Amino acid sequence: MTDITHGKRPLLVAGLLAGLLVASAALAPLIADARPAREIPVENVDQSLSDPGAEGWSDVPAATIPLASAPSGVPNADDTTVREVEVAAATTAEQLFVRLRWADRSADRSAGTPRAFADMAAIQFPVNATTQPAIAMGSASNLVNVWQWSAAGNSQELLAGGPGTTTVFEQPEMSTAATRSTVGDGEGWSVVFARDLNATVQNRTQLAADADISVALGVWDGQNSERAGQKAVSEWYYFPFGPEDGGAPFQTILWAVAAGAIALVIAVTALSVRQARQEGESG
């Protein structure tokens, strides 16, 4: 019986190690193709995608970005309804197109009365593309550009250096287009923001910079009376405009690999201990 046990142990260990190698080989392509954390992919295209329903958007990868209530001192600041937004981005040789899609069963277009508020969305960039300002509208020493769309029919391009410091550009270089569309299992908004990569005016973000550019997002639900600081926002993410640096893949994949390796090590150890006890008892 002891000889049989001795014969089985190498086979068991070899089998477990082979399983680890197979699992690693299966996960390797996922790790290689995984997107670094907080990256929103940008696709190079050869046509304008200023129309939210343009067929070309089907070839552009999208990222789903979680949203949470913005930290703010305004009343009901923590009462927001939009939990995530889908973001897709594409560039031609001259322009950047960013499409936001989110679920919103009601189309709130009117802001003409004290109790009516329009649905809105915004994209925030650092003015200096090589920096990452304070997430809440930047600071006096680190300004941000904000592109804001409103379902009421107007869009604005803003400059801000902290909460409550926004200035409207008189001649916006950014344009928007919006439509209602199916999002998930219901209706929602699909909004495209477009702007030339090269900025022609000071204090506008140079999107043609050879560096990754930070980007943050915000959404207001008009039906929920959201306005000003009462909004759902993201953390900083980034568009990978800079050279590839081989950043770390998603943490979930790394944890999956680590968990598999730990499980196999535990299994090998447990079998070894069990067999050692059996050998001791038989001896």
Side-chain angles (χ1 to χ4, degrees):
M1 182 174 179
T2 303
D3 292 339
I4 295 175
T5 302
H6 277 296
K8 285 184 176 180
R9 184 190 298 177
L11 292 175
L12 287 170
V13 173
L16 289 169
L17 290 176
L20 177 59
L21 290 174
V22 171
S24 300
L27 288 169
L30 296 177
I31 295 174
D33 294 337
R35 191 170 67 247
R38 298 195 182 280
E39 177 184 300
I40 299 174
V42 179
E43 186 78 3
N44 292 320
V45 297
D46 56 6
Q47 60 181 319
S48 171
L49 293 180
S50 58
D51 181 350
E55 185 177 345
W57 282 113
S58 62
D59 298 323
V60 178
T64 299
I65 307 301
L67 303 178
S69 298
S72 173
V74 302
N76 302 316
D78 60 350
D79 179 17
T80 58
T81 63
V82 183
R83 296 291 176 259
E84 62 184 28
V85 59
E86 178 190 282
V87 186
T91 57
T92 62
E94 298 178 347
Q95 286 189 300
L96 168 68
F97 304 94
V98 182
R99 187 177 72 169
L100 306 185
R101 299 177 73 244
W102 69 96
D104 186 345
R105 296 183 183 277
S106 64
D108 300 290
R109 295 184 171 90
S110 175
T113 66
R115 293 183 178 276
F117 302 95
D119 296 327
M120 296 193 298
I123 303 177
Q124 176 177 278
F125 297 98
V127 169
N128 181 350
T130 63
T131 66
Q132 192 175 89
I135 189 69
M137 306 299 285
S139 66
S141 60
N142 207 343
L143 306 176
V144 296
N145 275 166
V146 179
W147 303 352
Q148 188 178 76
W149 165 85
S150 171
N154 60 303
S155 299
Q156 293 181 320
E157 191 175 355
L158 310 171
L159 177 68
T165 65
T166 54
T167 300
V168 179
F169 284 100
E170 292 184 1
Q171 296 181 333
E173 295 186 354
M174 173 272 305
S175 63
T176 63
T179 187
R180 297 289 289 172
S181 62
T182 300
V183 179
D185 59 355
E187 289 191 13
W189 285 107
S190 183
V191 181
V192 170
F193 297 78
R195 207 208 76 181
D196 287 349
L197 295 173
N198 289 302
T200 61
V201 178
Q202 187 178 7
N203 287 330
R204 278 192 169 105
T205 306
Q206 283 289 351
L207 300 172
D210 187 21
D212 295 342
I213 296 179
S214 294
V215 57
L217 312 162
V219 176
W220 292 258
D221 180 1
Q223 186 181 45
N224 193 45
S225 299
E226 296 175 23
R227 72 278 192 194
Q230 184 185 358
K231 57 187 174 182
V233 298
S234 74
E235 298 292 338
W236 281 116
Y237 283 74
Y238 73 93
F239 290 143
F241 287 167
E244 294 185 6
D245 58 4
F250 280 129
Q251 292 182 353
T252 52
I253 295 179
L254 292 178
W255 279 115
V257 174
I262 291 171
L264 285 170
V265 170
I266 292 173
V268 170
T269 303
L271 284 172
S272 298
V273 170
R274 180 181 177 184
Q275 290 175 358
R277 287 177 178 173
Q278 290 176 345
E279 291 173 7
E281 292 173 356
S282 62

